[in-house]
PDB file of all heavy atoms in Angstrom:
ATOM      1  N   GLY A 188     165.452  80.349 105.857  1.00 88.00           N
ATOM      2  CA  GLY A 188     166.733  80.438 105.352  1.00 88.00           C
ATOM      3  C   GLY A 188     167.381  79.125 105.058  1.00 88.00           C
ATOM      4  O   GLY A 188     168.078  78.996 104.072  1.00 88.00           O
ATOM      5  N   PHE A 189     167.138  78.123 105.951  1.00 87.00           N
ATOM      6  CA  PHE A 189     167.763  76.867 105.701  1.00 87.00           C
ATOM      7  C   PHE A 189     167.245  76.280 104.364  1.00 87.00           C
ATOM      8  O   PHE A 189     167.974  75.648 103.542  1.00 87.00           O
ATOM      9  CB  PHE A 189     167.442  75.937 106.844  1.00 87.00           C
ATOM     10  CG  PHE A 189     167.839  74.447 106.627  1.00 87.00           C
ATOM     11  CD1 PHE A 189     169.181  74.064 106.716  1.00 87.00           C
ATOM     12  CD2 PHE A 189     166.850  73.549 106.234  1.00 87.00           C
ATOM     13  CE1 PHE A 189     169.502  72.762 106.434  1.00 87.00           C
ATOM     14  CE2 PHE A 189     167.272  72.236 105.957  1.00 87.00           C
ATOM     15  CZ  PHE A 189     168.508  71.782 106.133  1.00 87.00           C
ATOM     16  N   LEU A 190     165.921  76.322 104.182  1.00 87.00           N
ATOM     17  CA  LEU A 190     165.298  75.926 102.936  1.00 87.00           C
ATOM     18  C   LEU A 190     165.791  76.531 101.765  1.00 87.00           C
ATOM     19  O   LEU A 190     166.118  75.932 100.666  1.00 87.00           O
ATOM     20  CB  LEU A 190     163.755  76.041 103.042  1.00 87.00           C
ATOM     21  CG  LEU A 190     162.983  75.492 101.935  1.00 87.00           C
ATOM     22  CD1 LEU A 190     163.101  74.015 101.815  1.00 87.00           C
ATOM     23  CD2 LEU A 190     161.469  75.850 102.042  1.00 87.00           C
ATOM     24  N   LEU A 191     165.940  77.908 101.757  1.00 83.00           N
ATOM     25  CA  LEU A 191     166.476  78.657 100.650  1.00 83.00           C
ATOM     26  C   LEU A 191     167.854  78.302 100.371  1.00 83.00           C
ATOM     27  O   LEU A 191     168.372  77.977  99.173  1.00 83.00           O
ATOM     28  CB  LEU A 191     166.395  80.150 100.964  1.00 83.00           C
ATOM     29  CG  LEU A 191     166.928  81.114  99.827  1.00 83.00           C
ATOM     30  CD1 LEU A 191     166.074  80.854  98.562  1.00 83.00           C
ATOM     31  CD2 LEU A 191     166.756  82.423 100.222  1.00 83.00           C
ATOM     32  N   ALA A 192     168.702  78.078 101.412  1.00 84.00           N
ATOM     33  CA  ALA A 192     170.061  77.651 101.226  1.00 84.00           C
ATOM     34  C   ALA A 192     170.215  76.271 100.561  1.00 84.00           C
ATOM     35  O   ALA A 192     171.067  75.978  99.760  1.00 84.00           O
ATOM     36  CB  ALA A 192     170.837  77.662 102.460  1.00 84.00           C
ATOM     37  N   ALA A 193     169.328  75.246 101.102  1.00 81.00           N
ATOM     38  CA  ALA A 193     169.364  73.941 100.574  1.00 81.00           C
ATOM     39  C   ALA A 193     168.979  73.922  99.152  1.00 81.00           C
ATOM     40  O   ALA A 193     169.666  73.298  98.365  1.00 81.00           O
ATOM     41  CB  ALA A 193     168.465  73.115 101.433  1.00 81.00           C
ATOM     42  N   LYS A 194     167.913  74.791  98.708  1.00 78.00           N
ATOM     43  CA  LYS A 194     167.602  74.676  97.357  1.00 78.00           C
ATOM     44  C   LYS A 194     168.712  75.430  96.477  1.00 78.00           C
ATOM     45  O   LYS A 194     168.925  74.878  95.370  1.00 78.00           O
ATOM     46  CB  LYS A 194     166.252  75.472  97.159  1.00 78.00           C
ATOM     47  CG  LYS A 194     165.781  75.422  95.744  1.00 78.00           C
ATOM     48  CD  LYS A 194     164.390  75.988  95.601  1.00 78.00           C
ATOM     49  CE  LYS A 194     163.974  75.866  94.063  1.00 78.00           C
ATOM     50  NZ  LYS A 194     162.528  76.325  93.882  1.00 78.00           N
ATOM     51  N   SER A 195     169.376  76.331  96.981  1.00 75.00           N
ATOM     52  CA  SER A 195     170.382  77.035  96.299  1.00 75.00           C
ATOM     53  C   SER A 195     171.566  75.980  95.950  1.00 75.00           C
ATOM     54  O   SER A 195     172.184  76.010  94.932  1.00 75.00           O
ATOM     55  CB  SER A 195     171.004  78.166  97.068  1.00 75.00           C
ATOM     56  OG  SER A 195     169.947  79.133  97.291  1.00 75.00           O
ATOM     57  N   VAL A 196     171.811  75.231  96.962  1.00 73.00           N
ATOM     58  CA  VAL A 196     172.923  74.113  96.775  1.00 73.00           C
ATOM     59  C   VAL A 196     172.606  73.131  95.659  1.00 73.00           C
ATOM     60  O   VAL A 196     173.352  72.834  94.794  1.00 73.00           O
ATOM     61  CB  VAL A 196     173.108  73.352  98.055  1.00 73.00           C
ATOM     62  CG1 VAL A 196     174.083  72.247  97.895  1.00 73.00           C
ATOM     63  CG2 VAL A 196     173.740  74.323  99.099  1.00 73.00           C
ATOM     64  N   PHE A 197     171.333  72.675  95.686  1.00 71.00           N
ATOM     65  CA  PHE A 197     170.879  71.763  94.693  1.00 71.00           C
ATOM     66  C   PHE A 197     170.835  72.383  93.311  1.00 71.00           C
ATOM     67  O   PHE A 197     171.173  71.725  92.345  1.00 71.00           O
ATOM     68  CB  PHE A 197     169.553  71.118  95.063  1.00 71.00           C
ATOM     69  CG  PHE A 197     169.553  70.141  96.169  1.00 71.00           C
ATOM     70  CD1 PHE A 197     168.933  70.402  97.363  1.00 71.00           C
ATOM     71  CD2 PHE A 197     170.196  68.929  96.022  1.00 71.00           C
ATOM     72  CE1 PHE A 197     168.925  69.442  98.375  1.00 71.00           C
ATOM     73  CE2 PHE A 197     170.316  68.074  97.099  1.00 71.00           C
ATOM     74  CZ  PHE A 197     169.626  68.241  98.235  1.00 71.00           C
ATOM     75  N   ARG A 198     170.299  73.517  93.219  1.00 65.00           N
ATOM     76  CA  ARG A 198     170.230  74.191  91.937  1.00 65.00           C
ATOM     77  C   ARG A 198     171.594  74.581  91.395  1.00 65.00           C
ATOM     78  O   ARG A 198     171.780  74.785  90.206  1.00 65.00           O
ATOM     79  CB  ARG A 198     169.311  75.451  92.126  1.00 65.00           C
ATOM     80  CG  ARG A 198     167.815  75.223  92.046  1.00 65.00           C
ATOM     81  CD  ARG A 198     167.541  74.528  90.705  1.00 65.00           C
ATOM     82  NE  ARG A 198     166.049  74.505  90.485  1.00 65.00           N
ATOM     83  CZ  ARG A 198     165.418  73.888  89.439  1.00 65.00           C
ATOM     84  NH1 ARG A 198     166.290  73.342  88.497  1.00 65.00           N
ATOM     85  NH2 ARG A 198     164.132  74.025  89.289  1.00 65.00           N
ATOM     86  N   PHE A 199     172.649  74.736  92.236  1.00 61.00           N
ATOM     87  CA  PHE A 199     173.902  75.239  91.884  1.00 61.00           C
ATOM     88  C   PHE A 199     174.511  74.254  90.814  1.00 61.00           C
ATOM     89  O   PHE A 199     175.148  74.603  89.782  1.00 61.00           O
ATOM     90  CB  PHE A 199     174.848  75.316  93.008  1.00 61.00           C
ATOM     91  CG  PHE A 199     176.224  75.700  92.631  1.00 61.00           C
ATOM     92  CD1 PHE A 199     176.546  77.027  92.315  1.00 61.00           C
ATOM     93  CD2 PHE A 199     177.234  74.803  92.563  1.00 61.00           C
ATOM     94  CE1 PHE A 199     177.849  77.410  91.993  1.00 61.00           C
ATOM     95  CE2 PHE A 199     178.616  75.127  92.262  1.00 61.00           C
ATOM     96  CZ  PHE A 199     178.835  76.465  91.962  1.00 61.00           C
ATOM     97  N   GLY A 200     174.225  72.989  90.966  1.00 60.00           N
ATOM     98  CA  GLY A 200     174.629  71.976  90.053  1.00 60.00           C
ATOM     99  C   GLY A 200     174.132  72.184  88.626  1.00 60.00           C
ATOM    100  O   GLY A 200     174.798  72.123  87.671  1.00 60.00           O
ATOM    101  N   ASP A 201     172.776  72.482  88.514  1.00 60.00           N
ATOM    102  CA  ASP A 201     172.188  72.656  87.246  1.00 60.00           C
ATOM    103  C   ASP A 201     172.733  73.951  86.564  1.00 60.00           C
ATOM    104  O   ASP A 201     173.025  73.974  85.398  1.00 60.00           O
ATOM    105  CB  ASP A 201     170.656  72.917  87.432  1.00 60.00           C
ATOM    106  CG  ASP A 201     169.982  71.604  87.938  1.00 60.00           C
ATOM    107  OD1 ASP A 201     170.530  70.514  87.635  1.00 60.00           O
ATOM    108  OD2 ASP A 201     168.944  71.756  88.585  1.00 60.00           O
ATOM    109  N   LEU A 202     172.987  75.029  87.377  1.00 59.00           N
ATOM    110  CA  LEU A 202     173.408  76.256  86.862  1.00 59.00           C
ATOM    111  C   LEU A 202     174.840  76.248  86.547  1.00 59.00           C
ATOM    112  O   LEU A 202     175.243  76.902  85.549  1.00 59.00           O
ATOM    113  CB  LEU A 202     173.134  77.376  87.887  1.00 59.00           C
ATOM    114  CG  LEU A 202     171.635  77.670  88.235  1.00 59.00           C
ATOM    115  CD1 LEU A 202     171.560  78.753  89.243  1.00 59.00           C
ATOM    116  CD2 LEU A 202     170.844  78.068  87.003  1.00 59.00           C
ATOM    117  N   SER A 203     175.625  75.563  87.220  1.00 57.00           N
ATOM    118  CA  SER A 203     177.021  75.435  86.994  1.00 57.00           C
ATOM    119  C   SER A 203     177.391  74.632  85.710  1.00 57.00           C
ATOM    120  O   SER A 203     178.407  74.877  85.036  1.00 57.00           O
ATOM    121  CB  SER A 203     177.889  74.870  88.117  1.00 57.00           C
ATOM    122  OG  SER A 203     177.442  73.487  88.398  1.00 57.00           O
ATOM    123  N   LYS A 204     176.463  73.666  85.385  1.00 56.00           N
ATOM    124  CA  LYS A 204     176.707  72.879  84.208  1.00 56.00           C
ATOM    125  C   LYS A 204     176.284  73.544  82.929  1.00 56.00           C
ATOM    126  O   LYS A 204     176.482  73.144  81.824  1.00 56.00           O
ATOM    127  CB  LYS A 204     175.939  71.502  84.357  1.00 56.00           C
ATOM    128  CG  LYS A 204     176.686  70.680  85.437  1.00 56.00           C
ATOM    129  CD  LYS A 204     175.746  69.443  85.567  1.00 56.00           C
ATOM    130  CE  LYS A 204     176.284  68.534  86.729  1.00 56.00           C
ATOM    131  NZ  LYS A 204     175.489  67.318  86.944  1.00 56.00           N
ATOM    132  N   SER A 205     175.416  74.554  83.208  1.00 53.00           N
ATOM    133  CA  SER A 205     174.799  75.336  81.983  1.00 53.00           C
ATOM    134  C   SER A 205     175.431  76.706  81.836  1.00 53.00           C
ATOM    135  O   SER A 205     175.563  77.319  82.804  1.00 53.00           O
ATOM    136  CB  SER A 205     173.273  75.345  82.222  1.00 53.00           C
ATOM    137  OG  SER A 205     172.807  76.203  81.176  1.00 53.00           O
ATOM    138  N   LYS A 206     175.793  77.075  80.641  1.00 55.00           N
ATOM    139  CA  LYS A 206     176.281  78.323  80.340  1.00 55.00           C
ATOM    140  C   LYS A 206     175.133  79.191  79.727  1.00 55.00           C
ATOM    141  O   LYS A 206     175.510  80.403  79.219  1.00 55.00           O
ATOM    142  CB  LYS A 206     177.422  78.274  79.390  1.00 55.00           C
ATOM    143  CG  LYS A 206     178.614  77.580  79.968  1.00 55.00           C
ATOM    144  CD  LYS A 206     179.812  77.475  78.958  1.00 55.00           C
ATOM    145  CE  LYS A 206     180.934  76.683  79.610  1.00 55.00           C
ATOM    146  NZ  LYS A 206     182.035  76.679  78.622  1.00 55.00           N
ATOM    147  N   ASP A 207     173.949  78.718  79.807  1.00 64.00           N
ATOM    148  CA  ASP A 207     172.827  79.428  79.275  1.00 64.00           C
ATOM    149  C   ASP A 207     172.322  80.490  80.245  1.00 64.00           C
ATOM    150  O   ASP A 207     171.806  80.047  81.293  1.00 64.00           O
ATOM    151  CB  ASP A 207     171.673  78.464  78.868  1.00 64.00           C
ATOM    152  CG  ASP A 207     170.542  79.056  78.048  1.00 64.00           C
ATOM    153  OD1 ASP A 207     170.514  80.328  77.987  1.00 64.00           O
ATOM    154  OD2 ASP A 207     169.768  78.451  77.519  1.00 64.00           O
ATOM    155  N   ARG A 208     172.523  81.694  80.004  1.00 68.00           N
ATOM    156  CA  ARG A 208     172.069  82.764  80.945  1.00 68.00           C
ATOM    157  C   ARG A 208     170.541  82.752  80.999  1.00 68.00           C
ATOM    158  O   ARG A 208     169.988  83.054  82.075  1.00 68.00           O
ATOM    159  CB  ARG A 208     172.486  84.148  80.406  1.00 68.00           C
ATOM    160  CG  ARG A 208     172.185  85.242  81.266  1.00 68.00           C
ATOM    161  CD  ARG A 208     172.791  86.560  80.802  1.00 68.00           C
ATOM    162  NE  ARG A 208     172.399  87.701  81.597  1.00 68.00           N
ATOM    163  CZ  ARG A 208     172.761  88.912  81.420  1.00 68.00           C
ATOM    164  NH1 ARG A 208     173.557  89.265  80.522  1.00 68.00           N
ATOM    165  NH2 ARG A 208     172.306  89.855  82.240  1.00 68.00           N
ATOM    166  N   LYS A 209     169.777  82.524  79.935  1.00 73.00           N
ATOM    167  CA  LYS A 209     168.407  82.396  79.993  1.00 73.00           C
ATOM    168  C   LYS A 209     167.825  81.440  80.938  1.00 73.00           C
ATOM    169  O   LYS A 209     166.849  81.627  81.761  1.00 73.00           O
ATOM    170  CB  LYS A 209     167.803  82.123  78.511  1.00 73.00           C
ATOM    171  CG  LYS A 209     168.024  83.312  77.617  1.00 73.00           C
ATOM    172  CD  LYS A 209     167.328  83.005  76.236  1.00 73.00           C
ATOM    173  CE  LYS A 209     167.428  84.120  75.257  1.00 73.00           C
ATOM    174  NZ  LYS A 209     166.863  83.844  73.964  1.00 73.00           N
ATOM    175  N   LEU A 210     168.544  80.215  80.924  1.00 73.00           N
ATOM    176  CA  LEU A 210     168.132  79.185  81.869  1.00 73.00           C
ATOM    177  C   LEU A 210     168.346  79.596  83.363  1.00 73.00           C
ATOM    178  O   LEU A 210     167.474  79.381  84.190  1.00 73.00           O
ATOM    179  CB  LEU A 210     168.893  77.863  81.621  1.00 73.00           C
ATOM    180  CG  LEU A 210     168.636  76.743  82.501  1.00 73.00           C
ATOM    181  CD1 LEU A 210     167.124  76.291  82.506  1.00 73.00           C
ATOM    182  CD2 LEU A 210     169.485  75.440  82.234  1.00 73.00           C
ATOM    183  N   THR A 211     169.435  80.292  83.629  1.00 75.00           N
ATOM    184  CA  THR A 211     169.770  80.695  84.984  1.00 75.00           C
ATOM    185  C   THR A 211     168.676  81.713  85.376  1.00 75.00           C
ATOM    186  O   THR A 211     168.187  81.648  86.584  1.00 75.00           O
ATOM    187  CB  THR A 211     171.121  81.377  85.006  1.00 75.00           C
ATOM    188  OG1 THR A 211     172.142  80.423  84.546  1.00 75.00           O
ATOM    189  CG2 THR A 211     171.514  81.844  86.356  1.00 75.00           C
ATOM    190  N   GLU A 212     168.313  82.665  84.536  1.00 77.00           N
ATOM    191  CA  GLU A 212     167.310  83.683  84.925  1.00 77.00           C
ATOM    192  C   GLU A 212     166.000  83.078  85.066  1.00 77.00           C
ATOM    193  O   GLU A 212     165.215  83.426  85.980  1.00 77.00           O
ATOM    194  CB  GLU A 212     167.372  84.739  83.766  1.00 77.00           C
ATOM    195  CG  GLU A 212     168.585  85.566  83.673  1.00 77.00           C
ATOM    196  CD  GLU A 212     168.581  86.570  82.551  1.00 77.00           C
ATOM    197  OE1 GLU A 212     167.774  86.320  81.593  1.00 77.00           O
ATOM    198  OE2 GLU A 212     169.344  87.474  82.521  1.00 77.00           O
ATOM    199  N   TYR A 213     165.710  82.067  84.218  1.00 78.00           N
ATOM    200  CA  TYR A 213     164.373  81.382  84.320  1.00 78.00           C
ATOM    201  C   TYR A 213     164.253  80.689  85.607  1.00 78.00           C
ATOM    202  O   TYR A 213     163.177  80.795  86.329  1.00 78.00           O
ATOM    203  CB  TYR A 213     164.284  80.269  83.122  1.00 78.00           C
ATOM    204  CG  TYR A 213     162.993  79.527  83.087  1.00 78.00           C
ATOM    205  CD1 TYR A 213     161.904  80.049  82.448  1.00 78.00           C
ATOM    206  CD2 TYR A 213     162.953  78.287  83.594  1.00 78.00           C
ATOM    207  CE1 TYR A 213     160.732  79.379  82.375  1.00 78.00           C
ATOM    208  CE2 TYR A 213     161.757  77.485  83.531  1.00 78.00           C
ATOM    209  CZ  TYR A 213     160.733  78.045  82.957  1.00 78.00           C
ATOM    210  OH  TYR A 213     159.515  77.304  82.859  1.00 78.00           O
ATOM    211  N   ILE A 214     165.279  79.997  86.174  1.00 79.00           N
ATOM    212  CA  ILE A 214     165.219  79.290  87.411  1.00 79.00           C
ATOM    213  C   ILE A 214     165.097  80.259  88.508  1.00 79.00           C
ATOM    214  O   ILE A 214     164.316  80.045  89.471  1.00 79.00           O
ATOM    215  CB  ILE A 214     166.464  78.390  87.601  1.00 79.00           C
ATOM    216  CG1 ILE A 214     166.348  77.242  86.587  1.00 79.00           C
ATOM    217  CG2 ILE A 214     166.555  77.952  89.005  1.00 79.00           C
ATOM    218  CD1 ILE A 214     167.675  76.378  86.505  1.00 79.00           C
ATOM    219  N   LEU A 215     165.775  81.386  88.489  1.00 82.00           N
ATOM    220  CA  LEU A 215     165.832  82.323  89.533  1.00 82.00           C
ATOM    221  C   LEU A 215     164.392  83.013  89.565  1.00 82.00           C
ATOM    222  O   LEU A 215     163.905  83.235  90.737  1.00 82.00           O
ATOM    223  CB  LEU A 215     166.937  83.347  89.365  1.00 82.00           C
ATOM    224  CG  LEU A 215     168.380  82.962  89.568  1.00 82.00           C
ATOM    225  CD1 LEU A 215     169.293  83.996  89.201  1.00 82.00           C
ATOM    226  CD2 LEU A 215     168.531  82.561  91.017  1.00 82.00           C
ATOM    227  N   ILE A 216     163.846  83.344  88.580  1.00 86.00           N
ATOM    228  CA  ILE A 216     162.493  83.925  88.489  1.00 86.00           C
ATOM    229  C   ILE A 216     161.452  83.113  89.124  1.00 86.00           C
ATOM    230  O   ILE A 216     160.570  83.466  89.939  1.00 86.00           O
ATOM    231  CB  ILE A 216     162.107  84.394  87.086  1.00 86.00           C
ATOM    232  CG1 ILE A 216     162.872  85.517  86.550  1.00 86.00           C
ATOM    233  CG2 ILE A 216     160.618  84.693  86.960  1.00 86.00           C
ATOM    234  CD1 ILE A 216     162.752  85.868  85.073  1.00 86.00           C
ATOM    235  N   GLY A 217     161.593  81.728  88.671  1.00 86.00           N
ATOM    236  CA  GLY A 217     160.679  80.728  89.168  1.00 86.00           C
ATOM    237  C   GLY A 217     160.813  80.555  90.700  1.00 86.00           C
ATOM    238  O   GLY A 217     159.875  80.497  91.486  1.00 86.00           O
ATOM    239  N   THR A 218     161.987  80.552  91.219  1.00 86.00           N
ATOM    240  CA  THR A 218     162.282  80.422  92.624  1.00 86.00           C
ATOM    241  C   THR A 218     161.782  81.617  93.425  1.00 86.00           C
ATOM    242  O   THR A 218     161.088  81.365  94.572  1.00 86.00           O
ATOM    243  CB  THR A 218     163.754  80.220  92.916  1.00 86.00           C
ATOM    244  OG1 THR A 218     164.208  79.023  92.204  1.00 86.00           O
ATOM    245  CG2 THR A 218     164.050  80.034  94.394  1.00 86.00           C
ATOM    246  N   LEU A 219     162.026  82.807  93.000  1.00 89.00           N
ATOM    247  CA  LEU A 219     161.676  84.008  93.672  1.00 89.00           C
ATOM    248  C   LEU A 219     160.163  84.153  93.712  1.00 89.00           C
ATOM    249  O   LEU A 219     159.574  84.564  94.662  1.00 89.00           O
ATOM    250  CB  LEU A 219     162.359  85.230  93.016  1.00 89.00           C
ATOM    251  CG  LEU A 219     163.829  85.281  93.262  1.00 89.00           C
ATOM    252  CD1 LEU A 219     164.340  86.484  92.414  1.00 89.00           C
ATOM    253  CD2 LEU A 219     164.165  85.566  94.756  1.00 89.00           C
ATOM    254  N   ILE A 220     159.504  83.822  92.564  1.00 92.00           N
ATOM    255  CA  ILE A 220     157.964  83.910  92.524  1.00 92.00           C
ATOM    256  C   ILE A 220     157.400  82.935  93.483  1.00 92.00           C
ATOM    257  O   ILE A 220     156.428  83.211  94.264  1.00 92.00           O
ATOM    258  CB  ILE A 220     157.476  83.693  91.122  1.00 92.00           C
ATOM    259  CG1 ILE A 220     157.893  84.833  90.171  1.00 92.00           C
ATOM    260  CG2 ILE A 220     156.006  83.572  91.174  1.00 92.00           C
ATOM    261  CD1 ILE A 220     157.437  84.558  88.773  1.00 92.00           C
TER     262      ILE A 220
END
Side-chain angles (χ1 to χ4, degrees):
F189 172 79
L190 183 63
L191 183 58
K194 183 170 184 178
S195 299
V196 171
F197 285 117
R198 276 301 191 183
F199 178 77
D201 295 333
L202 297 178
S203 62
K204 293 177 183 178
S205 174
K206 295 182 180 179
D207 190 347
R208 181 175 177 179
K209 290 183 178 179
L210 176 60
T211 303
E212 292 173 342
Y213 180 83
I214 292 174
L215 288 175
I216 289 172
T218 299
L219 291 174
I220 293 175

